[in-house]
Amino acid sequence: MARNIQSLERAAAMLRLLAGGERRLGLSDIASSLGLAKGTAHGILRTLQQEGFVEQDEASGRYQLGAELLRLGTTYLDVHELRARALVWTDDLARSSGESVYLGVLHQQGVLIVHHVFRPDDSRQVLEIGAMQPLHSTALGKVLSAYDPVAHSEALESERKAFTDRTVCEEGDFERLLDVTRARGYAADVEETWEGVASIAAPIHDRRRMPVGAVGITGAVERLRPDGELRSELIAAVRDCARAVSRDLGAGRF
């Protein structure tokens, strides 16, 4: 049987300790409760603090659980609520647009597809739930990068690979693209990730007005952009779908 990693066990015990009992605990309290030397406890706390899992009150020096732990703890519920709220609206979007619909969320340094509605025709299609898409080149990824500060940082720190000769890779150009995305409320990918494929996506917000995902359609360039411009009715349909899901999540009107 593989041996457990002691430092991880101690960190887990520390987080459980902070999660129960008093709201904030001092270093001595934490060390004595877990039977650790102060130096050992302080080293673990410092690492957890750097990762955002623990926060230290500047006035008292006491520790409490950090915001990053809260974000991670609610991700599972948020994703499933997002998908549940989006089911009807994404089905409607697929029917009205005639294209495939994708629902994506930030995961690590990419976009995780959590829901996929097939294009409503008889063509052979592959379910892509669980697939990952890049942040910098896809419509879903650009929407997340434009509205979510964490996704923005991930996109800037990751390698922005050129998938086609249309892919925007240079940081300044990418930032300007995100400015355009925020100004118009949607993002587009016209052969930036896959030759012959175009996408349109818009952001989804929750009751806190925080970006929690993106919804978009994907199809052949000749269908989404038959005359050199993206079809305005498709852009409107994607934005309407994103607003409807946001409203169902409690975001109110945008």
Side-chain angles (χ1 to χ4, degrees):
M1 180 180 294
R3 295 179 59 187
N4 293 338
I5 300 175
Q6 188 180 55
S7 59
L8 292 180
E9 288 182 329
R10 289 172 170 175
M14 200 170 286
L15 293 174
R16 292 191 189 99
L17 179 65
L18 290 170
E22 296 182 30
R23 177 175 170 80
R24 295 190 179 112
L25 293 173
L27 175 60
S28 298
D29 298 325
I30 295 171
S32 61
S33 296
L34 300 178
L36 300 174
K38 282 188 178 181
T40 301
H42 185 256
I44 296 172
L45 284 167
R46 186 171 62 249
T47 301
L48 292 172
Q49 186 177 0
Q50 289 172 347
E51 296 299 324
F53 297 145
V54 165
E55 295 174 356
Q56 186 179 26
D57 180 68
E58 293 184 3
S60 67
R62 290 175 173 265
Y63 294 89
Q64 64 183 26
L65 294 180
E68 178 65 13
L69 190 65
L70 176 62
R71 187 183 73 83
L72 290 176
T74 58
T75 295
Y76 176 84
L77 294 176
D78 285 348
V79 167
H80 283 266
E81 182 183 6
L82 172 62
R83 184 176 182 275
R85 298 289 186 179
L87 288 176
V88 172
W89 300 111
T90 50
D91 283 348
D92 286 348
L93 178 58
R95 282 194 294 269
S96 66
S97 68
E99 302 296 346
S100 300
V101 177
Y102 294 89
L103 188 68
V105 299
L106 175 66
H107 180 67
Q108 296 177 351
Q109 291 186 322
V111 183
L112 174 67
I113 303 302
V114 297
H115 186 53
H116 174 198
V117 184
F118 283 164
R119 185 172 62 254
D121 60 19
D122 296 328
S123 63
R124 184 179 178 181
Q125 299 173 66
V126 177
L127 189 66
E128 295 187 43
I129 294 175
M132 292 291 293
Q133 294 187 2
L135 282 171
H136 70 287
S137 63
T138 62
L140 292 172
K142 284 185 274 189
V143 162
L144 292 174
S145 299
Y147 287 91
D148 184 341
V150 177
H152 180 256
S153 296
E154 295 285 6
L156 292 182
E157 293 172 5
S158 63
E159 178 188 3
R160 291 181 295 281
K161 179 181 177 181
F163 297 105
T164 73
D165 58 6
R166 293 173 175 263
T167 309
V168 176
C169 301
E170 198 277 322
E171 183 174 325
D173 293 337
F174 181 65
E175 290 281 26
R176 284 187 285 274
L177 191 60
L178 298 186
D179 288 339
V180 172
T181 297
R182 284 185 287 267
R184 64 189 184 183
Y186 72 92
D189 164 10
V190 181
E191 296 187 286
E192 294 176 46
T193 311
W194 303 282
E195 296 283 356
V197 177
S199 301
I200 304 166
I204 296 172
H205 297 80
D206 66 5
R207 61 184 61 87
R208 299 162 297 174
R209 298 296 182 95
M210 297 294 292
V212 293
V215 63
I217 60 172
T218 296
V221 170
E222 57 265 25
R223 293 198 302 269
L224 270 66
R225 202 181 69 158
D227 302 315
E229 297 290 337
L230 291 168
R231 290 165 54 194
S232 59
E233 70 272 21
L234 293 181
I235 295 171
V238 171
R239 296 190 67 193
D240 286 346
C241 178
R243 291 191 193 101
V245 179
S246 297
R247 285 196 300 270
D248 277 4
L249 288 170
R253 294 186 64 85
F254 270 83

